[in-house]
Amino acid sequence: MLSPSLAQEIASDTTAVIGFNVLITDAGGLVIGSGDSSRVGSFHEASVEVVRTQEPATHNASQAQQLRGVRPGVTLPLVANGKAVGTVGITGTPAQVRRFGLLVKRQTEILLRESVMLRSRLLAERAAEKLLADVASYDPQVVEGDFLLFRAAELGFDLRLRRVAVAIEVRVPDAGARRQGVPTRDMALVRSELLRTVREVFADPQDIIASTAPGWIGVLRRLPDRRPVTSLLDDCRRTTDVIAAQDGLVARAGIGEPAASVSGLHDSYQDACDALRLGARVASDCPVHLITDLRVHQALTAVSQPARNRLIERTTASLRDQPDWPVLRDTITAWCESGFNLVRASEALHIHRNTVVYRMNKIEQTTGRPLRDHRTTMALYLACLADRLGGGTGAGGGGGGGGE
């Protein structure tokens, strides 16, 4: 519990402050830290009795001579959870050092408790990382789902509860987007700070939160039975807003669908990573994306790139030759996603309805096909989505999303 490295650090620092040598032993009386490094590794006989009784002891010069490895001074027990785990001693005449004894003892115990808490927190974080990684890569042919249920239960998590996976990416913006004078931040260095920010929003004890790679955080969010998935939008927006308020960082999030099994959580996490990746391509100005809004895009990315290229070339070749192709492409997309409704399409594009009519007429004249023919329109729509998605579908930055 009391590591030699921590004991040596405490002993050296305290010795420098009070001007008297501070010595720390383990429960067996072995010196594991001392302002006088030559005493490290030696046996301090007085500590054995102090550990046994949990009572301090003082030794003058004559008394110290009768004990192995002991010099004049005071020795006090270090107690953690009611158990003596070692001692702290201060060398000097008892009258000189007694006044420092209780202060040094309490300070050392505080540092010991903080060290134990930090170690426990780090171990819990690593266990959560491993659990999330195992869920993300789950293959029933390789590992039993019940095994992951058992491991999660050991950590206090019930994977049979209704959950939704969230994938969060945090990155440093491009140089042009950074405010002048704001230093670049290293994702690996702000990892703990980012985890703390996410935990402040996803605060349910059953929420599993872990860093999957520098700049990537995964969440298996507990979702009460009556709560819809869309309620997570506010939580994710709040998270991205708080992170964005920290100098030099931007954040985006993808949300999967509810699940209450290991295999379902695996799919939910893969969906969350896909939502994050695909959302950035089709709506880069929006920081949060639901996979339910991107199922068609996801299905398109499951098709090989050559097949997508053929769809684009054969369906939109004449339109792509037009100088205003991006505008025509967005018009087709808005028309389909607005339920083939002229008013809603014009609102989505933020233009007058007559402008939409003009563009649609141009599309029909250029392609030679009527947009009222839904099969023609849907083929154009899929080709436009494929064009916006661009080439390649590899998962980003360790987030665990699936590729082609």
Side-chain angles (χ1 to χ4, degrees):
M1 181 177 286
L2 184 56
S3 69
S5 59
L6 175 63
Q8 183 57 45
E9 183 179 356
I10 294 172
S12 297
D13 290 349
T14 310
T15 296
V17 171
I18 68 174
F20 293 96
N21 183 61
V22 172
L23 176 144
I24 297 176
T25 77
D26 62 15
L30 183 69
V31 178
I32 56 176
S34 175
D36 177 0
S37 58
S38 66
R39 299 185 69 182
V40 175
S42 64
F43 178 66
H44 190 263
E45 186 177 356
S47 293
V48 176
E49 184 66 13
V50 170
V51 168
R52 188 184 69 80
T53 63
Q54 294 192 24
E55 294 291 336
T58 59
H59 304 90
N60 57 31
S62 61
Q63 292 170 327
Q65 286 180 348
Q66 299 175 26
L67 296 170
R68 181 181 165 191
V70 178
R71 295 179 184 176
V74 59
T75 305
L76 303 98
L78 294 175
V79 180
N81 297 321
K83 179 181 178 181
V85 296
T87 68
V88 58
I90 308 175
T91 303
T93 61
Q96 288 179 308
V97 299
R98 188 180 289 112
R99 58 196 173 102
F100 293 110
L102 189 57
L103 178 62
V104 172
K105 165 185 162 67
R106 287 180 176 171
Q107 183 63 30
T108 303
E109 288 175 343
I110 289 172
L111 293 173
L112 176 59
R113 283 197 299 271
E114 290 178 348
S115 174
V116 171
M117 290 174 61
L118 177 60
R119 178 175 174 79
S120 297
R121 186 164 64 249
L122 290 175
L123 289 174
E125 286 182 3
R126 288 174 187 152
E129 288 174 12
K130 182 68 167 61
L131 178 62
L132 186 60
D134 287 344
V135 169
S137 61
Y138 173 68
D139 182 347
Q141 301 300 319
V142 177
V143 62
E144 293 274 351
D146 287 346
F147 174 71
L148 291 185
L149 285 174
F150 175 76
R151 277 193 42 219
E154 285 188 318
L155 299 175
F157 301 119
D158 186 352
L159 295 186
R160 296 168 300 180
L161 296 175
R162 185 170 178 256
R163 298 174 183 273
V164 174
V166 177
I168 301 171
E169 180 193 24
V170 184
R171 62 179 177 82
V172 177
D174 298 335
R178 277 202 308 270
R179 297 197 301 274
Q180 187 173 6
V182 174
T184 299
R185 306 187 74 181
D186 187 327
M187 289 296 97
L189 296 179
V190 298
R191 173 181 171 278
S192 296
E193 183 180 337
L194 292 174
L195 284 172
R196 184 168 57 250
T197 297
V198 174
R199 289 192 182 105
E200 287 174 356
V201 177
F202 298 97
D204 189 303
Q206 279 292 321
D207 290 344
I208 302 172
I209 302 165
S211 174
T212 58
W216 280 78
I217 295 173
V219 181
L220 300 181
R221 169 67 150 166
R222 181 188 179 186
L223 194 67
D225 290 339
R226 288 186 171 82
R227 192 177 179 193
V229 176
T230 51
S231 64
L232 282 180
L233 285 169
D234 290 338
D235 294 333
C236 290
R237 286 177 185 137
R238 186 149 50 100
T239 301
T240 57
D241 287 346
V242 172
I243 293 173
Q246 301 178 32
D247 291 343
L249 299 177
V250 294
R252 297 184 302 110
I255 302 173
E257 293 204 49
S261 66
V262 173
S263 60
L265 288 172
H266 166 79
D267 293 341
S268 183
Y269 186 73
Q270 297 300 320
D271 282 347
C273 292
D274 283 350
L276 182 56
R277 172 174 51 84
L278 298 171
R281 297 187 186 184
V282 299
S284 58
D285 56 334
C286 178
V288 181
H289 310 278
L290 286 161
I291 191 61
T292 51
D293 297 332
L294 297 164
R295 285 299 187 192
V296 174
H297 306 71
Q298 188 183 43
L300 268 176
T301 59
V303 178
S304 69
Q305 187 65 46
R308 273 183 282 162
N309 289 340
R310 288 195 297 274
L311 173 66
I312 295 169
E313 292 165 3
R314 304 291 171 82
T315 309
T316 65
S318 57
L319 290 174
R320 288 168 62 84
D321 290 338
Q322 301 300 311
D324 57 348
W325 157 241
V327 169
L328 299 179
R329 180 189 63 193
D330 291 346
T331 302
I332 294 170
T333 302
W335 168 250
C336 294
E337 293 180 351
S338 299
F340 311 107
N341 183 284
L342 190 59
V343 175
R344 289 201 293 269
S346 64
E347 291 174 349
L349 292 167
H350 306 292
I351 57 178
H352 194 275
R353 58 181 293 175
N354 290 343
T355 304
V356 177
V357 172
Y358 166 78
R359 292 181 183 175
M360 291 176 65
N361 287 334
K362 181 175 180 177
I363 292 167
E364 290 181 336
Q365 292 172 5
T366 303
T367 61
R369 297 177 180 179
L371 288 178
R372 298 290 177 181
D373 179 350
H374 286 179
R375 286 182 299 180
T376 295
T377 305
M378 291 310 297
L380 280 172
Y381 173 63
L382 292 175
C384 289
L385 289 186
D387 185 70
R388 291 180 69 186
L389 290 172
T393 61
E404 290 180 351

